[in-house]
């Protein structure tokens, strides 16, 4: 086991007790927003921006690039920080309530040839970002 991976049981406890640092990416392609349909909690079944947890010692822009590639298979460029998204959810991927604080980046995709990972069930282009995302973005 990688010494930097927190065992699931311990991480579940951490998620239930402290805010988790994440990165979300407002990803654009031809003036449209790239959204993924979440296959896991939180927000399972909803269209959302790509993103997720940052690793200790990982710069947030590197997290943003990693999450875009891992979740969508897309290569993005021109990453620019645009704000912070903070939200609480009644259920996390570990089945416990969670609170996350996300550094939000905007980035652009030149070629739209997606490949999804297991955290998403679909990907599409939209004219607007999710209302909940905009409500909690500052």
């Amino acid at each position: 086991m990688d010494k930097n991976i927190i065992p699931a049981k311990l991480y579940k406890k951490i998620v239930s007790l402290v805010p988790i640092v994440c990165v979300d990416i407002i990803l654009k392609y031809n003036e449209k927003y790239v959204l993924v349909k979440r296959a896991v909690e939180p927000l399972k079944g909803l269209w959302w921006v790509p993103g997720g947890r940052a690793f200790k010692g990982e710069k947030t822009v590197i997290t943003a690039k990693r999450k875009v590639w891992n979740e969508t298979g897309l290569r993005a460029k021109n990453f620019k920080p645009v704000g912070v998204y903070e939200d609480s959810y009644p259920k996390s991927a570990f089945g416990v309530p969670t609170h996350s604080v996300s550094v939000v980046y905007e980035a652009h995709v030149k070629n739209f040839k997606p490949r999804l990972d297991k955290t998403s069930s679909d990907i599409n282009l939209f004219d607007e970002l999710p209302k909940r995302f905009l409500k909690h973005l500052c």
Side-chain angles (χ1 to χ4, degrees), residues 10-124:
L10 177 57
Y11 192 66
K12 178 179 180 177
K13 181 79 169 173
I14 292 168
V15 166
S16 72
L17 294 174
V18 299
I20 303 301
V21 177
C22 297
V23 174
D24 286 326
I25 305 94
I26 298 172
L27 197 56
K28 294 178 100 177
Y29 172 74
N30 287 345
E31 301 306 312
K32 300 271 190 179
Y33 297 104
V34 177
L35 299 180
V36 293
K37 192 170 197 179
R38 294 194 43 88
V40 296
E41 296 292 353
L43 306 172
K44 183 177 180 178
L46 298 181
W47 289 99
W48 205 252
V49 296
R53 181 172 61 93
F55 295 140
K56 182 179 178 181
E58 182 179 52
K59 302 283 186 188
T60 56
V61 71
I62 300 302
T63 303
K65 291 175 182 180
R66 174 176 59 81
K67 295 309 293 182
V68 167
W69 174 250
N70 289 350
E71 290 188 15
T72 70
L74 299 171
R75 295 282 186 203
K77 61 181 185 174
N78 302 326
F79 285 81
K80 177 179 88 171
V82 295
V84 173
Y85 174 88
E86 183 173 2
D87 206 349
S88 294
Y89 309 97
K91 192 173 183 184
S92 67
F94 290 88
V96 295
T98 187
H99 171 199
S100 66
V101 179
S102 294
V103 176
V104 180
Y105 282 86
E106 181 177 288
H108 298 270
V109 173
K110 188 173 182 180
N111 297 309
F112 189 72
K113 295 178 183 172
R115 172 203 40 83
L116 296 175
D117 72 0
K118 65 181 179 176
T119 64
S120 303
S121 62
D122 202 358
I123 188 168
N124 215 329

